[in-house]
Every structure is written in C-alpha cells, then in structure tokens.
Amino acid sequence: NTFSMNEFILDAFVWSFSRVNTYSTCPKSFKLQYIDCKSKVQNAFAEWGSLCHSILEGYFKGEISLFDMEEEYKKRYNEYVQHEFPMTKTKNLNISYYEDGLNYFKHFRDFGGNYEVLGIEQKLTIELGGYKFTGFIDLILRDKKDKKIIIVDHKSKSGFKNNDELSHYLLQLYLYSKYIYDTYGEFPKELWFNMFRAGNICKCTFDEAEYRKSYDWFVSTIKQIYIDDEFVDKVYTEYMKKGKDIADYKLNDYYCNNICSVREHCNRCKQGDVNFAD
C-alpha cells in the first residue's frame, strides 16, 4: 500500500534541516519533492542567496580577495540569478536585491582578527535521535579571547519579523550544534546570522534548553512524517484553522506562487498543473 511504500522511501533518507522544515511548512510540498520526486524549479531569492554564499565561501577560503568581491559579484550575477524576482507594488526587487548585494560586497568588512576560522562550508553527517542527519555549516569560528566556538550562518533575509521567526531559524543552527559537540567536545557559545542583505550580524547566545527543543522538534516531525497518509497542503490547513471555505481560495499565497520549488505541480499555485481550489 501507499503507506508501506512511503515508509520504504523514508527509511532510505539521510535527513536535512531543509527536508524536515519543508514538511513543517507544507506537507504536500514535502511529498511532491521527496516522495513523488517531482521536478523542481528555483526562485530568484534562493539563487541570489547562493550567489552571495559562493562569494563569501571564496573569500574565507582565500580564493577571492577583499578587493575583488564586488567585481566577482557583478561577474557571477547572471550565472546564478536566472529567474526574475516577483513583482511588488512598491519596488522592483530585481534592482533592489542586485544593489543590496553590490553594496554589501563593496563595503565588506570581515569579523576582524579576533576569530580563528575552523571550518568553511563544513559538511556534517551525524545521528540525531536515531536518524541520519546531514548539512553544511557556513562558517565555524573560534574566539581567540576565550577559545569558545561560534557557528555563523550566512542569511539572505534582511531581518526577522519577530522572536518566533528568529526561534524557527535558530532550529537549524541548534541541530548543527550537535556536530560541534561531537567534534570539539563542547557546544558553541553563540549562534550568528550574518544578514548580508542588511549588512549586519544577529548574535544569539547558545541555550541548551533551546537545543533540546530543536532536537525534539526534529525527531517528532520525522515521526509525524512516517504516520502521515494525507500530506495536506499548507493553504488547506490554514483555511481549516481559520474556519474559512477553501473554495474561496484565490491562488494568492506568496509561498505557493513564488517560493515552493514544486509549485508547478500543485493546484495551490497560479502556474500549477491544475488551477482549482480543492
């Protein structure tokens, strides 16, 4: 049956934050991507983020000099960013994102000489709750003053809307902290988001209770995936919670139309295979 086939597929997974988070965001998107293996499409936000990540990686590896970062950004832009940003009423995101990146690399400042670089795009493969887990840590630093470790995540967001959103993004870095503990015998002292679009750094003190919550979130979400036999989409779930009629849905969800990588295969998207609401 379908459930047995799903279980067979899931048993072969090496899990990542992205996979678990996709389910948390939209179970249907998870199923289309990782169980049905539907073809994917990118979006300009992800492509722009990958471009900036590649330049930062090159800089910290010594492959790109401080003075060449701006030129490298301009040279690689069209290679990486192959989709248009979505339209907004107030600004042209194609222009604003390009200029934000240009400004960041033109005025780039390193973290200073107080930190030793321990890892760059460090691949990790560990076990969490009996599940294989993999990922990449953008940057691992050691503070030369107290010898404590810091995880740095290069983030294309300009900021976090509220503490709940920040807490959700921290889940990934807390999961990566298990690798730091396994490798160095201690948890990191801080988790940093290098918000390169805004040109600032969001620093969070490591909290072992939050680490435990993240660990539990990871394990419990995977267990939920195993028993899910419907994989209901996010829009339907949101409408049910609000007591709204799904037949009134106007194909206007931002995530469905612009972010989801399997949006072409979903009827919640304007460009989906079937444009109806249920």
Side-chain angles (χ1 to χ4, degrees), residues 167-178:
S167 295
H168 186 76
Y169 275 87
L170 280 168
L171 288 170
Q172 182 176 16
L173 302 194
Y174 274 117
L175 295 178
Y176 288 174
S177 296
K178 177 65 162 52

Side-chain angles (χ1 to χ4, degrees), residues 49-50 52-54 56-58 60-61 111 117-124 135-141 150-156 172-173 176 179-180 192-196:
S50 294
C52 296
H53 270 78
S54 73
L56 288 165
E57 179 184 357
F60 284 106
K61 285 183 174 179
F111 303 126
V117 175
L118 299 180
I120 304 159
E121 288 295 317
Q122 178 64 56
K123 184 176 182 180
L124 59 94
F136 290 87
I137 302 176
D138 290 338
L139 197 61
I140 305 172
L141 302 177
I150 298 163
I151 290 178
V152 182
D153 185 44
H154 303 312
K155 191 62 64 183
S156 59
Q172 182 176 16
L173 302 194
Y176 288 174
Y179 168 83
I180 300 298
W192 291 6
F193 292 106
N194 174 26
M195 316 289 280
F196 53 81

Side-chain angles (χ1 to χ4, degrees), residues 122-218:
Q122 178 64 56
K123 184 176 182 180
L124 59 94
T125 303
I126 58 176
E127 187 175 287
L128 289 171
Y131 300 103
K132 290 182 180 178
F133 176 74
T134 192
F136 290 87
I137 302 176
D138 290 338
L139 197 61
I140 305 172
L141 302 177
R142 188 191 297 278
D143 191 325
K144 292 180 180 178
K145 294 179 181 178
D146 60 14
K147 307 303 181 185
K148 300 295 185 181
I149 295 173
I150 298 163
I151 290 178
V152 182
D153 185 44
H154 303 312
K155 191 62 64 183
S156 59
K157 290 176 67 65
S158 57
F160 298 107
K161 298 173 188 173
N162 48 47
N163 286 334
D164 286 343
E165 185 178 51
L166 171 60
S167 295
H168 186 76
Y169 275 87
L170 280 168
L171 288 170
Q172 182 176 16
L173 302 194
Y174 274 117
L175 295 178
Y176 288 174
S177 296
K178 177 65 162 52
Y179 168 83
I180 300 298
Y181 185 85
D182 289 349
T183 305
Y184 299 99
E186 62 183 90
F187 285 118
K189 72 166 182 174
E190 290 177 334
L191 309 173
W192 291 6
F193 292 106
N194 174 26
M195 316 289 280
F196 53 81
R197 187 179 172 213
N200 58 44
I201 298 174
C202 173
K203 300 180 180 181
C204 302
T205 301
F206 181 88
D207 184 324
E208 198 156 345
E210 291 301 312
Y211 164 76
R212 177 52 56 185
K213 286 182 185 178
S214 302
Y215 190 100
D216 291 344
W217 169 83
F218 173 80

Side-chain angles (χ1 to χ4, degrees), residues 22-78:
T22 296
Y23 179 85
S24 181
T25 302
C26 178
K28 183 176 181 181
S29 178
F30 174 89
K31 183 176 186 296
L32 289 171
Q33 288 186 63
Y34 302 117
I35 295 178
D36 299 342
C37 297
K38 294 292 187 180
S39 59
K40 300 180 185 180
V41 290
Q42 266 290 9
N43 65 76
F45 298 107
E47 291 169 340
W48 184 79
S50 294
L51 163 64
C52 296
H53 270 78
S54 73
I55 296 171
L56 288 165
E57 179 184 357
Y59 170 77
F60 284 106
K61 285 183 174 179
E63 299 166 354
I64 302 173
S65 76
L66 177 68
F67 307 103
D68 291 332
M69 295 177 85
E70 178 188 2
E71 200 58 40
E72 201 64 31
Y73 174 79
K74 290 189 284 188
K75 186 170 75 174
R76 296 185 188 185
Y77 190 87
N78 289 332

